[in-house]
Amino acid sequence: MVTFIARRIGAAVTLLLAVTFIAFMLLYPAAGNIAANILGENATQEQVALKNEQLGLDRPLLVQYGDWLAHAFTGDLGQSYFTSQPVWTTLAARLPITLSLVALVMILTGVLAFTLGTLAAVRRGWIDRTVQLLSTLGDALPHFIIGLFLVTVFALQLGWFPATGYTPLETSPGLWALGLTLPVVALTVGGVAGVVQQVRSATLGVLQNDYIRTLRSRGLSETRIVLTSVLRNASTNGLTSLAVQVVGILGGAVVIEQVFALPGLGSLAVESTSRTDLPVVIGVVLAAVVIVVTVNLLVDIAVAALNPKVRLS
């Protein structure tokens, strides 16, 4: 198990380096004249050249990346071109909001998808048809449409939840929960739709195995068989699909944070990209990759614990 985890951590670090390198090589050439954007259209050529030199943008791109990487290993992600605030400080202020969203959505998605997928496979009939219909609808509806519907009905018309804004958990747990309820629901619908079909198909496959029929012939209850044998063997596909969903959840969070005016990483990415504040953009990319890699690592460990054959692959 230790070797398996070490291999996964090594792969995660390689992925982090690859993503930051690609993002750096794609974003900086595409940003155009960054110094001119910072100084404005009235800046002279001399002022622009001086600003480029101050920011280190006159150096070769590989040298800039190497310098950024060396500082990143010490925890220094640079400074914002526009506010001069350290990137890490900016991320630290926004990260708890996005992490709260992702964690709550992942937990709810896992619980609902495994419950509904297993029920659909075991009970079949109208429950199966209803789950498949709802999963298709949830998969087809964009996150922002669901978010706008929830805001209109439950915030503006009924007044049950705040329409916008975020309250930190340490300030008021109740307001924190109320403020995140609608964004979490908007993201969970799509997440459940993407995982429930995988859980249903895997459960159906396990239920057709001979050893399940043997357990039934011994008089074990269907509930005991499902809880002790079916879920364990069917969970690999569901957990893998759940790990894949984290990428979609982060992408959806960019839009949902705009809809609900949440000051998280998604809104920070939009703001910093629109004004070519590339140190902040690279920092957001790095934070997003760390979240994805961490979730995938935890899921890999869970799958390996449930299925020892995975450790040998």
Side-chain angles (χ1 to χ4, degrees), residues 5-281:
I5 294 174
R7 284 205 308 266
R8 287 293 186 270
I9 292 176
V13 172
T14 304
L15 179 64
L16 274 174
L17 293 174
V19 170
T20 55
F21 177 78
I22 293 172
F24 211 92
M25 295 301 147
L26 291 177
L27 289 173
Y28 272 82
N33 195 331
I34 297 172
N37 291 338
I38 296 172
L39 296 173
E41 57 185 15
N42 295 325
T44 63
Q45 289 294 328
E46 291 76 15
Q47 290 173 320
V48 171
L50 180 61
K51 192 66 178 179
N52 273 322
E53 185 180 351
Q54 291 173 345
L55 297 176
L57 297 173
D58 55 341
R59 299 173 298 168
L61 200 54
L62 284 174
V63 175
Q64 293 182 48
Y65 175 72
D67 186 51
W68 176 86
L69 189 62
H71 284 86
F73 275 118
T74 66
D76 179 11
L77 299 178
Q79 294 182 336
S80 165
Y81 287 157
F82 292 84
T83 65
S84 298
Q85 189 176 32
V87 172
W88 177 243
T89 304
T90 306
L91 292 178
R94 305 292 190 105
L95 200 55
I97 300 161
T98 302
L99 280 180
S100 299
L101 269 180
V102 172
L104 291 172
V105 172
M106 290 294 291
I107 292 170
L108 278 177
T109 297
V111 172
L112 291 175
F114 272 85
T115 303
L116 294 175
T118 305
L119 272 176
V122 173
R123 298 297 177 87
R124 306 300 299 270
W126 68 270
I127 295 179
D128 188 20
R129 292 191 294 274
T130 304
V131 168
Q132 290 192 63
L133 176 64
L134 292 177
S135 68
T136 303
L137 286 174
D139 220 9
L141 287 173
H143 296 301
F144 76 93
I145 294 291
I146 301 172
L148 289 174
F149 169 77
L150 294 174
V151 167
T152 303
V153 175
F154 295 101
L156 300 181
Q157 294 182 0
L158 298 176
W160 292 354
F161 301 95
T164 58
Y166 172 80
T167 303
L169 177 62
E170 59 272 18
T171 302
S172 171
L175 292 177
W176 173 82
L178 283 175
L180 288 179
T181 298
L182 297 183
V184 167
V185 171
L187 289 171
T188 301
V189 170
V192 172
V195 179
V196 70
Q197 291 287 9
Q198 296 293 328
V199 176
R200 173 187 173 275
S201 299
T203 305
L204 282 175
V206 174
L207 286 172
Q208 293 172 358
N209 286 329
D210 291 338
Y211 72 89
I212 298 297
R213 283 192 285 272
T214 302
L215 292 174
R216 284 172 176 156
S217 68
R218 292 178 179 174
L220 295 179
S221 68
E222 195 71 15
T223 302
R224 183 175 177 183
I225 292 172
V226 170
L227 292 177
T228 59
S229 301
V230 176
L231 270 180
R232 180 186 178 90
N233 292 294
S235 59
T236 302
N237 288 348
L239 287 174
T240 304
S241 179
L242 184 62
V244 172
Q245 287 298 316
V246 72
V247 179
I249 291 170
L250 279 173
V254 174
V255 180
I256 288 300
E257 286 179 7
Q258 296 294 315
V259 172
F260 290 94
L262 297 175
L265 287 182
S267 55
L268 178 63
V270 173
E271 294 164 11
S272 53
T273 303
S274 63
R275 58 184 186 183
T276 63
D277 198 352
L278 295 190
V280 179
V281 177

